Amino acid sequence: GQSLEQPSEVTAVEGAIVQINCTYQTSGFYGLSWYQQHDGGAPTFLSYNALDGLEETGRFSSFLSRSDSYGYLLLQELQMKDSASYFCAVADNAGNMLTFGGGTRLMVKP
Amino acid sequence: DVKVTQSSRYLVKRTGEKVFLECVQDMDHENMFWYRQDPGLGLRLIYFSYDVKMKEKGDIPEGYSVSREKKERFSLILESASTNQTSMYLCASSPFHEQYFGPGTRLTVT
């Protein structure tokens, strides 16, 4: 089976940096993904890590440590529009089946 | 741009009714998925299809069935709707790691 743990809620101020952690226990592991979902919207893909290390895409970066079964999403220069829920998800085989964490609600304050 | 559409944004059905939720993608993706999303539980996979007429059970298949007669279309069927199936239902398609989600159907069973 799979289980993923991430904080339920994080609050930060505009312009700051925030890190959302994700730890997982899985019977198989292929990669760790991150998705963003605004209220009332569909989840949208942010990043994917299959190997250890940091992947950077603009203001967002994602990190993976396979030996620690741990990853995080780093959001820099926070903007109000970054207020959303963020989900980590583990792909446990090449068939792309994902198991999602419960989501972290990020609130960005002025 | 990838487009995933779902047949309804909101649906209200009575207990015991047969319910069909349809999903169509326009990118010729092999993989399609049905999830349900409930507060605090993240997205849970109901069924996954990796080809026409092929399907695999996800984490919570009980009470649901699926049909994939054409590559672009993946249907979720609730054989006899129950109140505990009141939820947001999200369809996704994927060429590989990145999943593209439809807007969701909020189903209420009364």
Side-chain angles (χ1 to χ4, degrees), chain B residues 61-79:
Chain B
E62 297 79 18
Y64 303 94
S65 61
V66 290
S67 171
R68 193 164 180 203
E69 298 295 320
K70 293 185 177 181
K71 192 174 186 180
E72 68 271 17
R73 189 180 298 268
F74 191 34
S75 300
L76 180 70
I77 302 148
L78 287 68
E79 296 289 341

Side-chain angles (χ1 to χ4, degrees), chain A residues 26-55:
Chain A
T26 61
S27 54
F29 180 85
Y30 206 80
L32 183 71
S33 300
W34 288 91
Y35 287 78
Q36 178 192 60
Q37 185 179 31
H38 287 99
D39 285 347
T44 55
F45 173 81
L46 290 176
S47 67
Y48 175 76
N49 295 65
L51 303 176
D52 286 358
L54 191 69
E55 297 273 349

Side-chain angles (χ1 to χ4, degrees), chain B residues 3-39:
Chain B
K3 193 156 188 180
V4 180
T5 56
Q6 295 184 227
S7 47
S8 307
R9 286 303 306 267
Y10 299 94
L11 209 54
V12 180
K13 295 292 181 180
R14 293 191 183 275
T15 303
E17 278 193 83
K18 192 168 186 175
V19 182
F20 293 87
L21 302 181
E22 293 208 320
C23 175
V24 178
Q25 51 101 356
D26 66 357
M27 284 301 292
D28 202 37
H29 290 163
E30 302 288 338
N31 305 313
M32 295 187 75
F33 308 82
W34 274 107
Y35 295 90
R36 64 177 281 175
Q37 184 174 25
D38 301 288

Side-chain angles (χ1 to χ4, degrees), chain A residues 30 33 35 37 40-45 48 50 87 91 93-103, chain B residues 9 31 33 35 37 40-43 45 48 56-59 90 94-99 101-103:
Chain A
Y30 206 80
S33 300
Y35 287 78
Q37 185 179 31
T44 55
F45 173 81
Y48 175 76
F87 296 88
N93 57 42
N96 313 306
M97 288 175 67
L98 295 180
T99 300
F100 283 82
Chain B
R9 286 303 306 267
N31 305 313
F33 308 82
Y35 295 90
Q37 184 174 25
L41 297 177
L43 286 77
L45 181 65
F48 160 50
E56 281 193 28
K57 292 180 180 180
D59 299 317
L90 289 159
S94 169
F96 194 39
H97 299 302
E98 181 174 349
Q99 293 195 7
F101 285 84

Side-chain angles (χ1 to χ4, degrees), chain B residues 11-17 81-84 86 107-110:
Chain B
L11 209 54
V12 180
K13 295 292 181 180
R14 293 191 183 275
T15 303
E17 278 193 83
S82 63
T83 54
N84 63 11
T86 291
L107 173 67
T108 302
V109 182
T110 61

